[in-house]
Every structure is written in C-alpha cells, then in structure tokens.
C-alpha cells in the first residue's frame, strides 16, 4: 500500500476527528482515540497537528472551502431572490451530505474552551452574514424585497436554517433536509418579497 501524502493524512485525521465528535461528542475526541482510528501512532498525529485545537482548526478550515463553493453557487443566481434560494439550499444540501459536521457546528463546548476557535467561528459567521447582506441589499435595491431592516432579515434567515438543522439533528436525521429547504425558502420568500 502506498504511503499517504501529508495532505492526504491530514484529511484522514480530520475526517476521523469529525466522526469521533459525531459519535461521542467533543469530549470523546482524544489523540489516543484518534490515533487508533486512523491506525497511526500518537506521535504521528502530532507530526500533522499540534493538539486537539489545531485539529478543530483544520475542521473549520474545511468550512472555509465550503464558503468558496457557496460563492460560486451564488454567482449562478440572476436575481436576489434566486441567490437567496441558492444560499439556503446550498447549506441544506451540504449538511445533508455531511451530517457529521453538524456535531461540530452545534457543539458549544468546542468553542467555549478556546478563544482561537471561537474567533475562527465568529469569522465564519460574519462572512456568511456579509454574503447574506449583499443579497438582501441587492434585493431591496431591485425592489424584490420589502424594506425591512437588513439585519432582521439576516437573523430570520440564519435562524430558520439553524433551527431546521437542529430539529433534523435531534430527530436522528429522519427527514430530508434538502427537501425541507424548499419549504423554508418559500416561507421566507412570502415574508420578505414584494
């Protein structure tokens, strides 16, 4: 069997860390457990990552890749309403395919224990909000959206997404998040479009 490149090994470690958090919560993630799952030594883990915090930063960097794909997907929308639909649907489609990520994103204890991780998550949230702000302002300028405070519209949209994903997660992923995205978008569209 060929040796993995550094990038491939790091991806494998991050994938397994996500799985461990998904199965047992953040507190179940240990370097020993991770090394056993990846089938390498603990010192080998430390050759790729400084500590658990560094591994979580790697997971959050993967979310940065998600943001790049989201930007490309939004560019395919001709109107603000279509971009908003794409924004909501992209989140639901991504999480439907990567349900393990919800265990990281919804784990308050991961981010409460590290200022660095909290800052990284806040940057991700601010970036998403800025994307939404651009869409909402575009919609208001084109008279597609009602003249409601932009920050209120953003909070409503992100709140809908978060609550829906939380219900899906707590319900054992028992419904199609991707299909739910259609009804969520329809409800939001009813409330904010002219």
């Amino acid at each position: 069997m060929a040796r993995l490149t550094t990038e491939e090994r790091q991806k494998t470690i991050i994938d397994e860390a996500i799985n461990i958090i998904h199965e047992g919560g953040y507190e179940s993630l240990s370097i020993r457990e991770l090394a056993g799952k990846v089938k390498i030594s603990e010192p080998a883990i430390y050759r790729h990552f400084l500590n658990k915090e560094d591994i979580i930063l790697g997971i959050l960097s993967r979310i940065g890749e998600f943001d790049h794909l989201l930007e490309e997907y939004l560019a395919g929308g001709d109107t603000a309403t279509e971009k908003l639909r794409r924004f909501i649907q992209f989140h639901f489609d991504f999480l439907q395919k990567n349900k393990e990520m919800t265990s990281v994103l919804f784990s308050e204890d991961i981010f409460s224990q590290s200022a660095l991780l909290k800052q990284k998550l806040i940057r991700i949230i601010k970036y998403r909000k800025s994307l939404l702000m651009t869409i909402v302002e575009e919609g208001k300028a084109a008279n597609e959206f009602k003249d409601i405070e932009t920050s209120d519209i953003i909070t409503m949209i992100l709140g809908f997404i978060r609550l829906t994903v939380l219900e899906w997660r707590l319900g054992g992923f028992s419904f199609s998040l991707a299909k739910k995205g259609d009804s969520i978008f329809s409800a939001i569209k009813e409330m904010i479009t002219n």
Side-chain angles (χ1 to χ4, degrees), residues 26 53 56-57 60 104-105 107-126:
Y26 177 64
E53 181 182 65
I56 301 299
L57 284 171
L60 293 177
V104 175
L105 297 171
S107 181
E108 302 291 325
D109 46 330
I110 291 176
F111 303 104
S112 65
Q113 295 179 20
S114 166
L116 181 62
L117 294 176
K118 186 187 285 184
Q119 289 171 351
K120 179 84 172 175
L121 183 62
I122 288 170
R123 273 197 302 268
I124 290 167
I125 292 168
K126 282 183 178 179

PDB file of all heavy atoms in Angstrom, residues 26 53 56-57 60 104-105 107-126:
ATOM      1  N   TYR A  26     -17.535  16.136  21.618  1.00  0.00           N
ATOM      2  CA  TYR A  26     -16.185  16.692  21.629  1.00  0.00           C
ATOM      3  C   TYR A  26     -15.324  16.071  22.717  1.00  0.00           C
ATOM      4  O   TYR A  26     -14.141  15.794  22.509  1.00  0.00           O
ATOM      5  CB  TYR A  26     -16.250  18.211  21.804  1.00  0.00           C
ATOM      6  CG  TYR A  26     -14.900  18.863  21.891  1.00  0.00           C
ATOM      7  CD1 TYR A  26     -14.024  18.835  20.816  1.00  0.00           C
ATOM      8  CD2 TYR A  26     -14.487  19.511  23.059  1.00  0.00           C
ATOM      9  CE1 TYR A  26     -12.768  19.434  20.888  1.00  0.00           C
ATOM     10  CE2 TYR A  26     -13.243  20.115  23.138  1.00  0.00           C
ATOM     11  CZ  TYR A  26     -12.396  20.080  22.048  1.00  0.00           C
ATOM     12  OH  TYR A  26     -11.163  20.666  22.124  1.00  0.00           O
ATOM     13  N   GLU A  53      -6.924  21.406  19.493  1.00  0.00           N
ATOM     14  CA  GLU A  53      -7.377  22.697  18.978  1.00  0.00           C
ATOM     15  C   GLU A  53      -6.974  22.857  17.512  1.00  0.00           C
ATOM     16  O   GLU A  53      -7.755  23.324  16.685  1.00  0.00           O
ATOM     17  CB  GLU A  53      -6.785  23.816  19.828  1.00  0.00           C
ATOM     18  CG  GLU A  53      -7.210  25.208  19.390  1.00  0.00           C
ATOM     19  CD  GLU A  53      -6.566  26.287  20.233  1.00  0.00           C
ATOM     20  OE1 GLU A  53      -5.325  26.430  20.182  1.00  0.00           O
ATOM     21  OE2 GLU A  53      -7.308  26.981  20.938  1.00  0.00           O
ATOM     22  N   ILE A  56      -9.279  20.881  15.338  1.00  0.00           N
ATOM     23  CA  ILE A  56     -10.559  21.578  15.152  1.00  0.00           C
ATOM     24  C   ILE A  56     -10.381  22.736  14.178  1.00  0.00           C
ATOM     25  O   ILE A  56     -11.248  22.995  13.333  1.00  0.00           O
ATOM     26  CB  ILE A  56     -11.141  22.071  16.497  1.00  0.00           C
ATOM     27  CG1 ILE A  56     -11.368  20.894  17.455  1.00  0.00           C
ATOM     28  CG2 ILE A  56     -12.444  22.849  16.271  1.00  0.00           C
ATOM     29  CD1 ILE A  56     -12.339  19.833  16.976  1.00  0.00           C
ATOM     30  N   LEU A  57      -9.253  23.432  14.239  1.00  0.00           N
ATOM     31  CA  LEU A  57      -8.978  24.488  13.250  1.00  0.00           C
ATOM     32  C   LEU A  57      -8.955  23.909  11.838  1.00  0.00           C
ATOM     33  O   LEU A  57      -9.426  24.542  10.891  1.00  0.00           O
ATOM     34  CB  LEU A  57      -7.645  25.182  13.553  1.00  0.00           C
ATOM     35  CG  LEU A  57      -7.658  26.176  14.710  1.00  0.00           C
ATOM     36  CD1 LEU A  57      -6.243  26.627  15.041  1.00  0.00           C
ATOM     37  CD2 LEU A  57      -8.544  27.368  14.392  1.00  0.00           C
ATOM     38  N   LEU A  60     -12.502  23.521  10.809  1.00  0.00           N
ATOM     39  CA  LEU A  60     -13.075  24.821  10.457  1.00  0.00           C
ATOM     40  C   LEU A  60     -12.533  25.328   9.127  1.00  0.00           C
ATOM     41  O   LEU A  60     -13.241  26.009   8.385  1.00  0.00           O
ATOM     42  CB  LEU A  60     -12.835  25.834  11.573  1.00  0.00           C
ATOM     43  CG  LEU A  60     -13.572  25.547  12.887  1.00  0.00           C
ATOM     44  CD1 LEU A  60     -13.208  26.582  13.943  1.00  0.00           C
ATOM     45  CD2 LEU A  60     -15.075  25.498  12.686  1.00  0.00           C
ATOM     46  N   VAL A 104     -20.050  19.071  14.992  1.00  0.00           N
ATOM     47  CA  VAL A 104     -19.007  20.052  15.284  1.00  0.00           C
ATOM     48  C   VAL A 104     -19.635  21.442  15.387  1.00  0.00           C
ATOM     49  O   VAL A 104     -19.423  22.170  16.357  1.00  0.00           O
ATOM     50  CB  VAL A 104     -17.906  20.041  14.193  1.00  0.00           C
ATOM     51  CG1 VAL A 104     -16.892  21.144  14.431  1.00  0.00           C
ATOM     52  CG2 VAL A 104     -17.232  18.680  14.128  1.00  0.00           C
ATOM     53  N   LEU A 105     -20.432  21.810  14.404  1.00  0.00           N
ATOM     54  CA  LEU A 105     -21.005  23.152  14.366  1.00  0.00           C
ATOM     55  C   LEU A 105     -21.950  23.441  15.524  1.00  0.00           C
ATOM     56  O   LEU A 105     -22.108  24.590  15.924  1.00  0.00           O
ATOM     57  CB  LEU A 105     -21.726  23.373  13.029  1.00  0.00           C
ATOM     58  CG  LEU A 105     -20.819  23.326  11.804  1.00  0.00           C
ATOM     59  CD1 LEU A 105     -21.636  23.344  10.524  1.00  0.00           C
ATOM     60  CD2 LEU A 105     -19.829  24.480  11.823  1.00  0.00           C
ATOM     61  N   SER A 107     -21.676  22.048  18.582  1.00  0.00           N
ATOM     62  CA  SER A 107     -21.034  21.695  19.839  1.00  0.00           C
ATOM     63  C   SER A 107     -20.504  22.952  20.519  1.00  0.00           C
ATOM     64  O   SER A 107     -19.409  23.415  20.223  1.00  0.00           O
ATOM     65  CB  SER A 107     -19.888  20.704  19.594  1.00  0.00           C
ATOM     66  OG  SER A 107     -19.289  20.359  20.806  1.00  0.00           O
ATOM     67  N   GLU A 108     -21.310  23.500  21.409  1.00  0.00           N
ATOM     68  CA  GLU A 108     -20.935  24.740  22.102  1.00  0.00           C
ATOM     69  C   GLU A 108     -19.641  24.575  22.891  1.00  0.00           C
ATOM     70  O   GLU A 108     -18.847  25.500  22.976  1.00  0.00           O
ATOM     71  CB  GLU A 108     -22.063  25.161  23.049  1.00  0.00           C
ATOM     72  CG  GLU A 108     -23.409  25.384  22.376  1.00  0.00           C
ATOM     73  CD  GLU A 108     -23.444  26.599  21.477  1.00  0.00           C
ATOM     74  OE1 GLU A 108     -22.794  27.607  21.801  1.00  0.00           O
ATOM     75  OE2 GLU A 108     -24.138  26.542  20.436  1.00  0.00           O
ATOM     76  N   ASP A 109     -19.417  23.386  23.486  1.00  0.00           N
ATOM     77  CA  ASP A 109     -18.242  23.221  24.337  1.00  0.00           C
ATOM     78  C   ASP A 109     -16.935  23.280  23.556  1.00  0.00           C
ATOM     79  O   ASP A 109     -15.901  23.642  24.108  1.00  0.00           O
ATOM     80  CB  ASP A 109     -18.320  21.954  25.198  1.00  0.00           C
ATOM     81  CG  ASP A 109     -18.745  20.711  24.453  1.00  0.00           C
ATOM     82  OD1 ASP A 109     -19.507  20.838  23.486  1.00  0.00           O
ATOM     83  OD2 ASP A 109     -18.333  19.615  24.858  1.00  0.00           O
ATOM     84  N   ILE A 110     -16.957  22.973  22.273  1.00  0.00           N
ATOM     85  CA  ILE A 110     -15.727  23.094  21.471  1.00  0.00           C
ATOM     86  C   ILE A 110     -15.276  24.547  21.465  1.00  0.00           C
ATOM     87  O   ILE A 110     -14.110  24.864  21.671  1.00  0.00           O
ATOM     88  CB  ILE A 110     -15.943  22.613  20.016  1.00  0.00           C
ATOM     89  CG1 ILE A 110     -16.151  21.110  19.965  1.00  0.00           C
ATOM     90  CG2 ILE A 110     -14.760  23.013  19.128  1.00  0.00           C
ATOM     91  CD1 ILE A 110     -16.477  20.576  18.579  1.00  0.00           C
ATOM     92  N   PHE A 111     -16.216  25.449  21.237  1.00  0.00           N
ATOM     93  CA  PHE A 111     -15.880  26.851  21.021  1.00  0.00           C
ATOM     94  C   PHE A 111     -15.788  27.651  22.313  1.00  0.00           C
ATOM     95  O   PHE A 111     -15.152  28.696  22.347  1.00  0.00           O
ATOM     96  CB  PHE A 111     -16.877  27.465  20.044  1.00  0.00           C
ATOM     97  CG  PHE A 111     -16.908  26.711  18.742  1.00  0.00           C
ATOM     98  CD1 PHE A 111     -17.945  25.850  18.446  1.00  0.00           C
ATOM     99  CD2 PHE A 111     -15.863  26.814  17.845  1.00  0.00           C
ATOM    100  CE1 PHE A 111     -17.960  25.120  17.269  1.00  0.00           C
ATOM    101  CE2 PHE A 111     -15.855  26.086  16.660  1.00  0.00           C
ATOM    102  CZ  PHE A 111     -16.906  25.248  16.369  1.00  0.00           C
ATOM    103  N   SER A 112     -16.390  27.149  23.389  1.00  0.00           N
ATOM    104  CA  SER A 112     -16.324  27.869  24.658  1.00  0.00           C
ATOM    105  C   SER A 112     -14.986  27.655  25.358  1.00  0.00           C
ATOM    106  O   SER A 112     -14.613  28.421  26.235  1.00  0.00           O
ATOM    107  CB  SER A 112     -17.468  27.438  25.574  1.00  0.00           C
ATOM    108  OG  SER A 112     -17.339  26.080  25.927  1.00  0.00           O
ATOM    109  N   GLN A 113     -14.232  26.643  24.961  1.00  0.00           N
ATOM    110  CA  GLN A 113     -12.969  26.323  25.628  1.00  0.00           C
ATOM    111  C   GLN A 113     -11.744  26.948  24.964  1.00  0.00           C
ATOM    112  O   GLN A 113     -10.651  26.835  25.483  1.00  0.00           O
ATOM    113  CB  GLN A 113     -12.789  24.803  25.691  1.00  0.00           C
ATOM    114  CG  GLN A 113     -13.829  24.133  26.548  1.00  0.00           C
ATOM    115  CD  GLN A 113     -13.659  22.630  26.585  1.00  0.00           C
ATOM    116  OE1 GLN A 113     -12.606  22.094  26.288  1.00  0.00           O
ATOM    117  NE2 GLN A 113     -14.721  21.936  26.959  1.00  0.00           N
ATOM    118  N   SER A 114     -11.935  27.580  23.830  1.00  0.00           N
ATOM    119  CA  SER A 114     -10.782  28.125  23.112  1.00  0.00           C
ATOM    120  C   SER A 114     -11.141  29.453  22.451  1.00  0.00           C
ATOM    121  O   SER A 114     -12.023  29.508  21.592  1.00  0.00           O
ATOM    122  CB  SER A 114     -10.322  27.131  22.037  1.00  0.00           C
ATOM    123  OG  SER A 114      -9.439  27.743  21.129  1.00  0.00           O
ATOM    124  N   ALA A 115     -10.423  30.499  22.854  1.00  0.00           N
ATOM    125  CA  ALA A 115     -10.652  31.816  22.254  1.00  0.00           C
ATOM    126  C   ALA A 115     -10.332  31.792  20.762  1.00  0.00           C
ATOM    127  O   ALA A 115     -11.031  32.423  19.957  1.00  0.00           O
ATOM    128  CB  ALA A 115      -9.817  32.873  22.966  1.00  0.00           C
ATOM    129  N   LEU A 116      -9.290  31.058  20.389  1.00  0.00           N
ATOM    130  CA  LEU A 116      -8.898  30.974  18.979  1.00  0.00           C
ATOM    131  C   LEU A 116      -9.997  30.329  18.135  1.00  0.00           C
ATOM    132  O   LEU A 116     -10.355  30.827  17.063  1.00  0.00           O
ATOM    133  CB  LEU A 116      -7.594  30.185  18.846  1.00  0.00           C
ATOM    134  CG  LEU A 116      -7.034  30.021  17.435  1.00  0.00           C
ATOM    135  CD1 LEU A 116      -6.696  31.383  16.830  1.00  0.00           C
ATOM    136  CD2 LEU A 116      -5.792  29.137  17.464  1.00  0.00           C
ATOM    137  N   LEU A 117     -10.554  29.222  18.622  1.00  0.00           N
ATOM    138  CA  LEU A 117     -11.634  28.543  17.891  1.00  0.00           C
ATOM    139  C   LEU A 117     -12.880  29.414  17.836  1.00  0.00           C
ATOM    140  O   LEU A 117     -13.554  29.476  16.802  1.00  0.00           O
ATOM    141  CB  LEU A 117     -11.949  27.193  18.533  1.00  0.00           C
ATOM    142  CG  LEU A 117     -10.845  26.146  18.444  1.00  0.00           C
ATOM    143  CD1 LEU A 117     -11.242  24.886  19.197  1.00  0.00           C
ATOM    144  CD2 LEU A 117     -10.491  25.822  17.006  1.00  0.00           C
ATOM    145  N   LYS A 118     -13.173  30.094  18.933  1.00  0.00           N
ATOM    146  CA  LYS A 118     -14.335  30.987  18.961  1.00  0.00           C
ATOM    147  C   LYS A 118     -14.171  32.106  17.930  1.00  0.00           C
ATOM    148  O   LYS A 118     -15.097  32.412  17.183  1.00  0.00           O
ATOM    149  CB  LYS A 118     -14.501  31.581  20.355  1.00  0.00           C
ATOM    150  CG  LYS A 118     -15.768  32.416  20.507  1.00  0.00           C
ATOM    151  CD  LYS A 118     -15.830  33.139  21.839  1.00  0.00           C
ATOM    152  CE  LYS A 118     -16.155  32.199  22.948  1.00  0.00           C
ATOM    153  NZ  LYS A 118     -16.323  32.889  24.250  1.00  0.00           N
ATOM    154  N   GLN A 119     -12.966  32.691  17.856  1.00  0.00           N
ATOM    155  CA  GLN A 119     -12.704  33.744  16.872  1.00  0.00           C
ATOM    156  C   GLN A 119     -12.864  33.236  15.446  1.00  0.00           C
ATOM    157  O   GLN A 119     -13.425  33.924  14.594  1.00  0.00           O
ATOM    158  CB  GLN A 119     -11.293  34.315  17.058  1.00  0.00           C
ATOM    159  CG  GLN A 119     -11.130  35.154  18.289  1.00  0.00           C
ATOM    160  CD  GLN A 119      -9.675  35.522  18.540  1.00  0.00           C
ATOM    161  OE1 GLN A 119      -8.751  35.026  17.887  1.00  0.00           O
ATOM    162  NE2 GLN A 119      -9.463  36.400  19.511  1.00  0.00           N
ATOM    163  N   LYS A 120     -12.369  32.035  15.196  1.00  0.00           N
ATOM    164  CA  LYS A 120     -12.473  31.448  13.852  1.00  0.00           C
ATOM    165  C   LYS A 120     -13.940  31.232  13.479  1.00  0.00           C
ATOM    166  O   LYS A 120     -14.364  31.557  12.365  1.00  0.00           O
ATOM    167  CB  LYS A 120     -11.700  30.125  13.800  1.00  0.00           C
ATOM    168  CG  LYS A 120     -11.745  29.409  12.488  1.00  0.00           C
ATOM    169  CD  LYS A 120     -10.723  29.891  11.523  1.00  0.00           C
ATOM    170  CE  LYS A 120     -10.692  28.996  10.305  1.00  0.00           C
ATOM    171  NZ  LYS A 120      -9.806  29.457   9.287  1.00  0.00           N
ATOM    172  N   LEU A 121     -14.736  30.714  14.416  1.00  0.00           N
ATOM    173  CA  LEU A 121     -16.153  30.507  14.153  1.00  0.00           C
ATOM    174  C   LEU A 121     -16.867  31.841  13.941  1.00  0.00           C
ATOM    175  O   LEU A 121     -17.704  31.970  13.043  1.00  0.00           O
ATOM    176  CB  LEU A 121     -16.811  29.718  15.293  1.00  0.00           C
ATOM    177  CG  LEU A 121     -18.283  29.379  15.081  1.00  0.00           C
ATOM    178  CD1 LEU A 121     -18.486  28.493  13.850  1.00  0.00           C
ATOM    179  CD2 LEU A 121     -18.854  28.697  16.324  1.00  0.00           C
ATOM    180  N   ILE A 122     -16.528  32.843  14.733  1.00  0.00           N
ATOM    181  CA  ILE A 122     -17.134  34.173  14.575  1.00  0.00           C
ATOM    182  C   ILE A 122     -16.808  34.740  13.198  1.00  0.00           C
ATOM    183  O   ILE A 122     -17.675  35.331  12.540  1.00  0.00           O
ATOM    184  CB  ILE A 122     -16.693  35.123  15.708  1.00  0.00           C
ATOM    185  CG1 ILE A 122     -17.377  34.704  17.015  1.00  0.00           C
ATOM    186  CG2 ILE A 122     -16.995  36.575  15.375  1.00  0.00           C
ATOM    187  CD1 ILE A 122     -16.847  35.398  18.258  1.00  0.00           C
ATOM    188  N   ARG A 123     -15.575  34.526  12.721  1.00  0.00           N
ATOM    189  CA  ARG A 123     -15.217  34.992  11.365  1.00  0.00           C
ATOM    190  C   ARG A 123     -16.061  34.299  10.302  1.00  0.00           C
ATOM    191  O   ARG A 123     -16.506  34.927   9.336  1.00  0.00           O
ATOM    192  CB  ARG A 123     -13.727  34.754  11.094  1.00  0.00           C
ATOM    193  CG  ARG A 123     -12.836  35.870  11.549  1.00  0.00           C
ATOM    194  CD  ARG A 123     -11.460  35.809  10.926  1.00  0.00           C
ATOM    195  NE  ARG A 123     -10.755  34.572  11.181  1.00  0.00           N
ATOM    196  CZ  ARG A 123      -9.934  34.368  12.202  1.00  0.00           C
ATOM    197  NH1 ARG A 123      -9.718  35.316  13.070  1.00  0.00           N
ATOM    198  NH2 ARG A 123      -9.333  33.207  12.348  1.00  0.00           N
ATOM    199  N   ILE A 124     -16.293  33.007  10.478  1.00  0.00           N
ATOM    200  CA  ILE A 124     -17.122  32.262   9.529  1.00  0.00           C
ATOM    201  C   ILE A 124     -18.544  32.814   9.531  1.00  0.00           C
ATOM    202  O   ILE A 124     -19.132  33.058   8.479  1.00  0.00           O
ATOM    203  CB  ILE A 124     -17.111  30.746   9.868  1.00  0.00           C
ATOM    204  CG1 ILE A 124     -15.737  30.149   9.566  1.00  0.00           C
ATOM    205  CG2 ILE A 124     -18.208  30.002   9.105  1.00  0.00           C
ATOM    206  CD1 ILE A 124     -15.515  28.754  10.134  1.00  0.00           C
ATOM    207  N   ILE A 125     -19.090  33.040  10.724  1.00  0.00           N
ATOM    208  CA  ILE A 125     -20.451  33.577  10.839  1.00  0.00           C
ATOM    209  C   ILE A 125     -20.536  34.967  10.211  1.00  0.00           C
ATOM    210  O   ILE A 125     -21.475  35.262   9.460  1.00  0.00           O
ATOM    211  CB  ILE A 125     -20.902  33.599  12.313  1.00  0.00           C
ATOM    212  CG1 ILE A 125     -21.085  32.165  12.827  1.00  0.00           C
ATOM    213  CG2 ILE A 125     -22.193  34.400  12.484  1.00  0.00           C
ATOM    214  CD1 ILE A 125     -21.243  32.054  14.330  1.00  0.00           C
ATOM    215  N   LYS A 126     -19.551  35.820  10.495  1.00  0.00           N
ATOM    216  CA  LYS A 126     -19.554  37.178   9.930  1.00  0.00           C
ATOM    217  C   LYS A 126     -19.482  37.124   8.401  1.00  0.00           C
ATOM    218  O   LYS A 126     -20.129  37.915   7.715  1.00  0.00           O
ATOM    219  CB  LYS A 126     -18.390  37.995  10.480  1.00  0.00           C
ATOM    220  CG  LYS A 126     -18.629  38.502  11.875  1.00  0.00           C
ATOM    221  CD  LYS A 126     -17.473  39.369  12.344  1.00  0.00           C
ATOM    222  CE  LYS A 126     -17.761  39.919  13.730  1.00  0.00           C
ATOM    223  NZ  LYS A 126     -16.655  40.740  14.226  1.00  0.00           N
TER     224      LYS A 126
END
